[in-house]
Every structure is written in C-alpha cells, then in structure tokens.
Amino acid sequence: MKTNALLSALLIFAGLFFCSCNGKEKTGKVALQFKFNVDDEELIFHDKTYLNAAGTLYQVDELKFFISEVVFYHKEGKTIHIIDHNGIHYADNAIQSTLLWNIKDLLTVGEYNAVAFTFGLSHDDNVDGKFVNAPESNMAWSPELGGGYHYMQL
C-alpha cells in the first residue's frame, strides 16, 4: 500500500466566487478545503489500521499542521501572494472549521496553473510567541528545545 499520500493534504479549490468588478477586471475569493487520503481513499481516523511500505501497521488519531506562504500562479504569469491571516493557516482534523480556509484576499478571476505553499511556517514566522491563543499556541516547541512551532503533529 502507498502511504505517502497520508502526509499530503489535498488542497481543493472550493470555488472562486465573484464579488467585485472595478471596471477593468473581475475579482473573486477562493477557499481551500483540506482532505486527507491514504492510497487514494479517504483517511479514516481512530478506527482503521493501515500498512506502510516498511510493513509497519499504524493508525492515525490526529493530524494538525500549518501552511504558510501561499501563492497562486495565474496562467498569464501573475502571482498572487496570500496575505489573509499573514498568509498562515492552521488545520486540525478534530476542528472541522479549520479544514476550510475561506481566503479573504481578492484574486483576479481567471485560470490558475498552480498553488504553492510552505508546509509549516517560514523561518521568519516560526518564532516564540507568534501565536498566543489555542489551538495554534499548542503547536509550540518548548524554549529548551529551540522554541518556535511544530510544522505538523501526527
């Protein structure tokens, strides 16, 4: 069985919603929905046992992570760097509301070739005290271990 898909959160465009037109170009908003798969099937948390390539059995009880530095690439060469929430989103399988990011930035309506992001936080954002409220603050490393934040907890 292929298990590498477990760690790759699928980003699905939930839709581009037209919301303004300034006379020159139409703009809209986009939402990213996070879904988790193993071997092209939806991951079942808590109750299903999986087998990795090394022959090890495992179950997944939780999956928490940050993505940051999100960039959309328009087919005409324009790049749009997301600034909503400083370009950072926290996702947690146990908190349904975190699995859909309705991005507030306006994007030019059109065809996009790709979306790129950092799995975790950039070096500049991965500093002690960046997040003071849970659940994001629960991702912190202790200062004795170098501080900053886990990029993922699985």
Side-chain angles (χ1 to χ4, degrees), residues 2 5-6 8 26 30 35 52 58 62 65 68 77 82 84 91 104 106 108 114 116-117 126-127 133 137 145 149:
K2 296 181 292 180
L6 169 66
S8 62
K26 292 182 180 178
V30 69
K35 294 186 177 188
N52 69 16
Y58 67 94
E62 66 181 14
F65 58 90
S68 63
I82 299 302
D84 182 31
K104 294 177 183 172
L106 293 177
T108 302
F117 60 91
N126 198 3
V127 294
N133 297 316
S137 63
L145 294 175
Y149 296 86

Side-chain angles (χ1 to χ4, degrees), residues 70-88:
V70 178
V71 180
F72 286 89
Y73 294 91
H74 195 277
K75 76 172 188 173
E76 295 175 4
K78 182 177 181 180
T79 58
I80 299 173
H81 296 261
I82 299 302
I83 58 173
D84 182 31
H85 289 100
N86 295 316
I88 299 170

Side-chain angles (χ1 to χ4, degrees), residues 64-125:
K64 306 171 186 183
F65 58 90
F66 288 104
I67 67 165
S68 63
E69 300 181 313
V70 178
V71 180
F72 286 89
Y73 294 91
H74 195 277
K75 76 172 188 173
E76 295 175 4
K78 182 177 181 180
T79 58
I80 299 173
H81 296 261
I82 299 302
I83 58 173
D84 182 31
H85 289 100
N86 295 316
I88 299 170
H89 183 75
Y90 170 77
D92 183 335
N93 73 285
I95 304 173
Q96 193 66 34
S97 63
T98 67
L99 301 180
L100 180 65
W101 183 13
N102 288 305
I103 298 172
K104 294 177 183 172
D105 299 37
L106 293 177
L107 280 71
T108 302
V109 172
E111 187 176 328
Y112 288 81
N113 299 348
V115 60
F117 60 91
T118 297
F119 192 49
L121 299 171
S122 71
H123 177 74
D124 292 338
D125 286 323

Side-chain angles (χ1 to χ4, degrees), residues 21 24 32 36 46 48 74 87 92 108 119 153:
C21 182
K24 294 181 183 175
L32 299 179
F36 312 104
H46 310 292
K48 186 168 181 178
H74 195 277
D92 183 335
T108 302
F119 192 49
Q153 292 180 342

